[in-house]
């Protein structure tokens, strides 16, 4: 594979704290290696529309501490079509861009993989999603920041729960993976954690809440991962608990998109920087159609086909810890 002279970088899918730090690292790694770099605005949509801007080490100053993505992100149905991908390829060639780094999640990598193979175009992925649900990496950019945001919010909710002897159901993001729910639940001292994969069931939840009440707890926090089907939705779950355990006064908090925003944590800034430099290094080694990952604190590259085949498994040891310390 011909080594690149000009590298494009874009962010795709949901935003995540640390994406700007990753862009910054890519651009400065390019500058360090005497390569040109160009930013693609609005993800694959900008790729199709030719929305490019030249970047250099100075244009990305003061970006490492900013949440979101200054390149912006967008969903793009046109990239699913061969015609749309052809337009994207033509725009890249017109701008003399000969390699692409995509920062996003598994959906973004699926599109990038098809594009790379279709046009024999070098593509590298950097995992950026708060859900931490990509196979082949211990952590994704944004997960640590989101986790701390959730724990901070639950800490505040517990003050109110304790003051009024209430049961709070707190819905968090994370899709079906449940990493945010499980780790934030442990970190914030939740009495129960509901995750789709664990399939806890209503009766076990009621039994657990009954035990908490009998043990002398006057308030409780239950963390619910979005996608949990123990009730049709979290409001119906609250109604069910109140109906069967009338001694509880139940309140619902859906944290929503507050979990995506905010200043990235130090860990996410460092991880994003390592991924950004690693992605440029991978291209200079002649690699393509791979995602950067971190396993046992080592930066690795794995094929897109491995990264997008499924999410990480739930940590059984953490489940056991959660059960023990919630008595």
């Amino acid at each position: 594979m011909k080594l690149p002279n000009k590298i494009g970088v874009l962010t795709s899918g949901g935003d995540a704290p640390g994406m700007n730090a990753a862009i910054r690292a890519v651009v400065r790694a390019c500058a360090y290696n005497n390569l040109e770099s160009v930013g693609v605005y609005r993800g694959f949509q900008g790729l199709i529309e030719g929305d490019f801007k030249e970047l250099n080490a100075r244009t990305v100053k003061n970006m490492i501490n900013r949440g979101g993505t200054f390149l912006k992100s967008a969903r793009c149905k046109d990239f699913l079509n061969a015609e749309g991908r052809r337009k994207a390829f033509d725009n890249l060639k017109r701008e003399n861009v000969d390699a692409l780094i995509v920062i996003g999640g598994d959906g973004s990598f699926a599109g990038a993989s098809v594009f790379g193979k279709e046009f024999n175009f070098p593509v590298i992925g950097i995992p950026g999603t708060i859900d931490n649900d990509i196979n082949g990496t211990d952590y994704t950019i944004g997960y640590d920041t989101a986790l701390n945001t959730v724990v901070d919010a639950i800490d505040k909710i517990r003050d109110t729960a304790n003051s009024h002897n209430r049961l709070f159901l707190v819905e968090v993001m994370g899709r079906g993976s449940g990493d945010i729910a499980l780790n934030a639940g442990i970190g914030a001292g939740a009495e129960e954690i509901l995750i789709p994969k664990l399939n806890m069931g209503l009766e076990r939840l009621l039994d657990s809440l009954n035990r908490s009440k009998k043990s002398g707890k006057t308030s409780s926090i239950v963390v619910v991962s979005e996608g949990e089907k123990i009730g049709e939705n979290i409001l119906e779950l609250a109604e069910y608990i109140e109906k069967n355990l009338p001694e509880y006064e139940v309140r619902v908090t859906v944290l929503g998109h507050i979990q995506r925003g905010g200043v990235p944590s130090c860990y996410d800034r460092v991880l994003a920087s390592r991924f950004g430099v690693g992605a440029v290094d991978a291209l200079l080694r002649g690699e393509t159609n791979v995602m950067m990952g971190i396993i046992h604190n080592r930066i690795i590259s794995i094929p897109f086909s491995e990264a997008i085949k499924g999410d990480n498994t739930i940590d059984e040891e953490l489940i056991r810890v959660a059960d023990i310390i919630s008595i």
Side-chain angles (χ1 to χ4, degrees), residues 40-204:
V40 182
Y41 283 81
R42 297 176 294 114
F44 293 128
Q45 190 66 46
L47 207 58
I48 291 173
E49 296 176 6
D51 194 359
F52 300 169
K53 182 179 179 180
E54 298 286 337
L55 299 175
N56 58 55
R58 300 286 72 80
T59 58
V60 293
K61 68 179 181 180
N62 300 325
M63 287 293 175
I64 196 169
N65 61 325
R66 285 177 53 180
T69 163
F70 81 91
L71 288 179
K72 303 190 182 299
S73 185
R75 309 290 181 183
C76 181
K77 293 182 179 180
D78 291 339
F79 202 73
L80 298 174
N81 304 320
E83 182 181 354
R85 294 192 296 273
R86 167 57 66 177
K87 289 180 180 177
F89 176 74
D90 290 342
N91 286 331
L92 286 169
K93 299 311 291 182
R94 188 176 300 114
E95 294 292 326
N96 296 316
V97 177
D98 40 26
L100 184 65
I101 294 175
V102 175
I103 306 169
D106 52 2
S108 302
F109 295 158
S113 179
V114 170
F115 178 80
K117 292 176 181 177
E118 196 169 29
F119 298 101
N120 194 28
F121 195 86
V123 183
I124 301 288
I126 293 177
T129 167
I130 69 167
D131 298 332
N132 201 44
D133 62 349
I134 297 178
N135 191 55
T137 183
D138 289 339
Y139 301 106
T140 59
I141 296 170
Y143 170 65
D144 184 71
T145 304
L147 202 55
N148 283 285
T149 297
V150 171
V151 169
D152 182 63
I154 295 175
D155 286 346
K156 292 178 171 64
I157 290 169
R158 186 175 290 281
D159 291 342
T160 294
N162 289 335
S163 298
H164 296 275
N165 294 341
R166 287 173 176 163
L167 164 64
F168 269 85
L169 302 180
V170 182
E171 184 181 275
V172 302
M173 285 182 168
R175 297 199 294 183
S177 70
D179 272 20
I180 291 178
L182 181 56
N183 284 273
I186 293 173
E191 280 64 40
E192 284 298 337
I193 303 166
L194 303 184
I195 299 170
K197 286 182 179 178
L198 299 185
N199 194 23
M200 182 178 184
L202 286 169
E203 293 308 312
R204 179 181 156 173

Side-chain angles (χ1 to χ4, degrees), residues 10 31 34 63 103 201 253 299:
L10 63 81
N34 296 314
M63 287 293 175
I103 306 169
T253 298
I299 301 299

